Amino acid sequence: MLFGAFNVNNMEIIQAIVDAAGEEHSPVILQASSSAIKYARVGYLKKMVEAALEEHDILIALHLDHGPDFETCKMCVDNGFSSVMIDASKYDFEENVALTKQVVDYAHSKGVVVEAELGTLAGVEDEVNVAEDDARYTNPRQAKEFVERTGCDSLAIAIGTSHGAYKFKGEAKLRFDILEKVKELIPNTPIVLHGASTVIPELVELCNQYGGNIPGAKGVPDEILREASLRGVSKINVDTDLRLAMTGAIRKVLTEDPSVFDPRKYMTPARDLIKKTVQHKIRDVFGSSNMA
Ligand code: G3H
Ligand code: 13P
Ligand code: ZN
């Protein structure tokens, strides 16, 4: 089973995602980065997710994305998050093991599961800058040792994706050979794919058509994500596509009618387009829809 994990920053994004998942009867993971938590504030995020749970009869998890340190992970565990990610991938192997284990010990004592990361995604992660030429793929043997030593519940691996709108210079390609080896060595550990937005061309075009400047953006095509799913990836992270949908929709309204200044006039189409984008992923790419 593959779960879509969608990044949230505000009410409209949360509503769009859970409305899409609700219509598809699909479980869904809402995830907030530490900067999203700084922006929206943890109490608001919690209450909005509670409101979503009251409205929808589906499984909705609230997950910390790219937790940068123990304190942030602890704060989320203490605030009732379903799961946390500790991203110590910028540290060396031993430091990554030590910090991940510290988070696992605390989170497990409170019944919360932990995602960790091994290997570095090229590009920009949440407050983690990695030069492209430092990019390194996950080593499958290290992945096995890492999971055994930390007791983490799921593992994000680096097989060629990266965050943001510029993932590939040439052809989009992932190292499925590494994924295969990882699955062989740790078959019971759910594998997470970060940086998995498609960078949907129509959404990039919508932004650019209405004054945006996002030339040459490129992501992971749907067919490659379907293959990742078939090859055993369990969680696919999406943020950039939602950002593009929201921005494109807002740009369109404000460009077409510069007299608009009621936020609902542009936030409503923005929410609708995020919903459509999420629904497409759940139904046509991730296969987590439970609609007949
Ligand atoms: O992986 C990073 C996510 O897209 C979150 O980004 O730190 O800007 O919220 P953010
Ligand atoms: P994208 O930038 O490809 O949407 O990736 C999001 C992500 O990995 C969040 O953790
Ligand atoms: Zn990520």
Side-chain angles (χ1 to χ4, degrees):
M1 175 79 176
L2 177 66
F3 291 91
F6 301 95
N7 284 73
V8 299
N9 295 280
N10 64 19
M11 181 188 77
E12 285 79 5
I13 299 173
I14 292 174
Q15 289 176 333
I17 297 165
V18 299
D19 286 354
E23 278 183 24
E24 295 301 321
H25 300 287
S26 166
V28 74
I29 299 170
L30 303 178
Q31 54 186 15
S33 67
S34 58
S35 48
I37 294 171
K38 262 183 222 143
Y39 172 78
R41 307 206 283 271
V42 74
Y44 286 83
L45 285 173
K46 264 172 65 175
K47 293 289 179 193
M48 287 191 286
V49 174
E50 277 170 33
L53 280 162
E54 276 171 28
E55 264 191 13
H56 293 281
D57 195 17
I58 52 170
L59 289 172
I60 302 173
L62 177 59
H63 173 74
L64 167 66
D65 189 30
H66 293 287
D69 49 39
F70 176 78
E71 291 69 29
T72 308
C73 293
K74 180 178 184 303
M75 186 273 288
C76 290
V77 169
D78 294 346
N79 271 286
F81 278 46
S82 330
S83 55
V84 294
M85 175 188 189
I86 174 68
D87 179 1
S89 62
K90 66 180 171 188
Y91 299 120
D92 70 29
F93 184 75
E94 288 301 327
E95 281 177 287
N96 190 349
V97 167
L99 181 50
T100 300
K101 173 116 179 54
Q102 188 191 6
V103 171
V104 167
D105 288 346
Y106 184 75
H108 283 186
S109 77
K110 306 281 179 188
V112 171
V113 292
V114 178
E115 174 184 330
E117 179 168 330
L118 185 66
T120 311
L121 277 70
V124 182
E125 298 191 9
D126 188 28
E127 293 177 8
V128 183
N129 285 304
V130 183
E132 211 174 343
D133 48 1
D134 280 338
R136 57 190 168 86
Y137 298 115
T138 302
N139 175 321
R141 282 186 199 292
Q142 270 195 342
K144 181 174 158 61
E145 182 186 341
F146 184 85
V147 168
E148 283 168 0
R149 286 177 60 192
T150 62
C152 68
D153 303 280
S154 61
L155 186 69
I157 60 170
I159 57 168
T161 58
S162 61
H163 294 109
Y166 297 92
K167 303 187 189 301
F168 302 100
K169 286 209 180 86
E171 190 200 348
K173 220 166 170 257
L174 297 189
R175 290 287 306 272
F176 284 127
D177 57 320
I178 296 178
L179 173 62
E180 196 174 323
K181 192 82 192 147
V182 168
K183 290 298 297 176
E184 205 178 293
L185 293 175
I186 42 171
N188 299 320
T189 302
I191 298 302
V192 183
L193 199 58
H194 281 249
S197 275
T198 302
V199 189
I200 298 170
E202 292 78 10
L203 298 180
V204 175
E205 178 50 33
L206 183 67
C207 290
N208 288 338
Q209 190 187 341
Y210 291 101
N213 182 22
I214 318 169
K218 195 181 231 180
V220 189
D222 286 351
E223 312 80 73
I224 294 187
L225 294 174
R226 285 191 199 100
E227 187 172 354
S229 157
L230 288 174
R231 287 170 174 269
V233 165
S234 297
K235 172 174 176 269
I236 289 199
N237 285 9
V238 175
D239 188 357
T240 296
D241 281 332
L242 311 189
R243 295 178 178 195
L244 290 169
M246 174 162 253
T247 304
I250 292 172
R251 278 191 178 284
K252 182 171 191 289
V253 172
L254 295 181
T255 307
E256 284 180 345
D257 187 352
S259 72
V260 166
F261 62 91
D262 177 347
R264 293 167 297 186
K265 293 260 178 358
Y266 50 85
M267 293 305 269
T268 302
R271 184 172 56 190
D272 290 346
L273 193 53
I274 296 174
K275 180 182 168 192
K276 193 174 154 212
T277 303
V278 171
Q279 208 157 357
H280 161 68
K281 288 179 186 289
I282 287 175
R283 194 194 307 145
D284 305 326
V285 188
F286 302 162
S288 66
S289 174
N290 287 302
M291 298 296 288

